[in-house]
Amino acid sequence: MLPIFANLFATLPNPRARGYRAGRYSFNIKGGRCEGLSGRRHGPHGNAISCPDVYVQCEACGGRRYSRETLEVKYRQASIADVLT
């Protein structure tokens, strides 16, 4: 499903003007993903040695997996993160 939505978002006027391509909407690729946890929703707690099974939500994106700039692009008032959840 991701390629379908990535292509849809890439064809919108705003991302086209910004030079965004479909790859921008992959949380595995730098540029569109949140770099806080490299595109992951959750990461290990800061003290992983004493709490190895504790994971925290990414503070940078709130678990949405994409950068702020990528989340600014909307299709019918929904970002790529909204569409995929």
Side-chain angles (χ1 to χ4, degrees):
M1 290 300 279
L2 180 59
I4 294 168
F5 290 119
N7 288 325
L8 170 68
F9 274 81
T11 61
L12 298 173
N14 187 1
R16 287 180 58 200
R18 294 180 182 195
Y20 296 173
R21 296 175 185 247
R24 176 89 186 195
Y25 301 96
S26 170
F27 40 78
N28 295 316
I29 299 173
K30 284 186 178 186
R33 74 179 180 194
C34 171
E35 291 301 322
L37 292 174
S38 300
R40 295 175 299 174
R41 284 191 175 112
H42 303 93
H45 184 267
N47 192 354
I49 294 171
S50 64
C51 303
D53 295 332
V54 176
Y55 285 81
V56 294
Q57 189 174 65
C58 178
E59 292 180 20
C61 68
R64 301 194 69 188
R65 305 178 86 169
Y66 293 95
S67 68
R68 179 185 52 80
E69 295 84 4
T70 302
L71 293 171
E72 288 174 353
V73 176
K74 307 282 185 178
Y75 175 74
R76 296 184 179 181
Q77 287 74 46
S79 71
I80 187 74
D82 297 327
V83 170
L84 294 175
T85 55

